[in-house]
Amino acid sequence: MSFTASSLDSLPSSPSSCDVLIVGAGPTGLTLAIELARRGISIRIIDQAQGPSQHSKALGVMARTLELLEPAVSAQMVEQGLPIAHAALYSGTRQLADVPFGERIPSRYPYVLMLPQNETERILLERLTELGIQVEYGYALTDMEKYMVASAEPVHAAEGTAGVVLPPHLRRPLSSLSSG
């Protein structure tokens, strides 16, 4: 189900009832939702799919990602994934590269964690549910114009640089502000 700005208001709770509307419930959107909810920020998360993905579009979770996630979430991923500390790339029988991740990644996770994206999303969805947030599947954001700021006041810094001040929850690309 797609919706435009006018039909956003007909959802069970309107977008104005949250601080942040997250569009997309892939790993990035789910992680953002978890981090904002942990900080007490009111969020809603929507996705145009009818439910969580049953297929993997990616296989690896990088060390820095594991560091940034909550320890319990990272631990669950590590428990279910396969750490790859070393990789060798071949073309036929000829070795093209040898990559010892353990020596090159200064992290408590000195490897690339092989974990299918759908499993990563399942773990993130479980944590989001624990935080009391449900993804609203079957919705695609197609129009935000009604909720955008029509104009903004320019601000000039002492150095002569210019900027635009907008409410933090209503950002609009500068190119659309200058088109008048």
Side-chain angles (χ1 to χ4, degrees):
M1 169 186 202
S2 292
F3 56 83
T4 62
S6 59
S7 64
L8 277 171
D9 294 321
S10 65
L11 289 173
S13 58
S14 74
S16 61
S17 67
C18 65
D19 296 320
V20 177
L21 173 65
I22 300 169
V23 180
T28 301
L30 294 170
T31 300
L32 176 61
I34 290 168
E35 292 305 311
L36 292 175
R38 285 180 54 214
R39 288 162 175 78
I41 297 170
S42 171
I43 64 112
R44 291 183 63 198
I45 180 168
I46 63 172
D47 195 290
Q48 66 184 353
Q50 295 303 311
S53 177
Q54 301 302 309
H55 307 287
S56 182
K57 299 172 195 129
L59 294 174
V61 180
M62 298 293 131
R64 185 66 180 137
T65 301
L66 292 168
E67 291 173 350
L68 293 172
L69 292 168
E70 288 181 301
V73 173
S74 292
Q76 188 176 359
M77 287 182 175
V78 169
E79 180 182 305
Q80 294 182 21
L82 175 65
I84 303 295
H86 184 263
L89 304 175
Y90 287 85
S91 175
T93 59
R94 192 178 116 214
Q95 185 174 354
L96 301 176
D98 185 64
V99 185
F101 296 124
E103 297 171 13
R104 296 177 183 230
I105 300 176
S107 169
R108 63 181 177 265
Y109 305 101
Y111 47 78
V112 174
L113 182 68
M114 301 307 291
L115 184 67
Q117 181 176 330
N118 55 322
E119 287 299 308
T120 299
E121 289 179 15
R122 183 187 56 74
I123 292 167
L124 294 170
L125 275 168
E126 287 174 4
R127 178 61 181 132
L128 195 59
T129 300
E130 290 170 5
L131 293 169
I133 308 292
Q134 295 295 317
V135 174
E136 297 173 55
Y137 287 105
Y139 294 98
L141 182 61
T142 58
D143 182 5
M144 277 284 295
E145 197 63 35
K146 175 182 171 184
Y147 297 97
M148 301 305 287
V149 174
S151 63
E153 294 298 319
V155 175
H156 299 280
E159 305 84 37
T161 59
V164 176
V165 175
L166 296 172
H169 62 287
L170 293 176
R171 303 288 178 173
R172 187 175 199 180
L174 292 178
S175 61
S176 63
L177 290 174
S178 61
S179 64

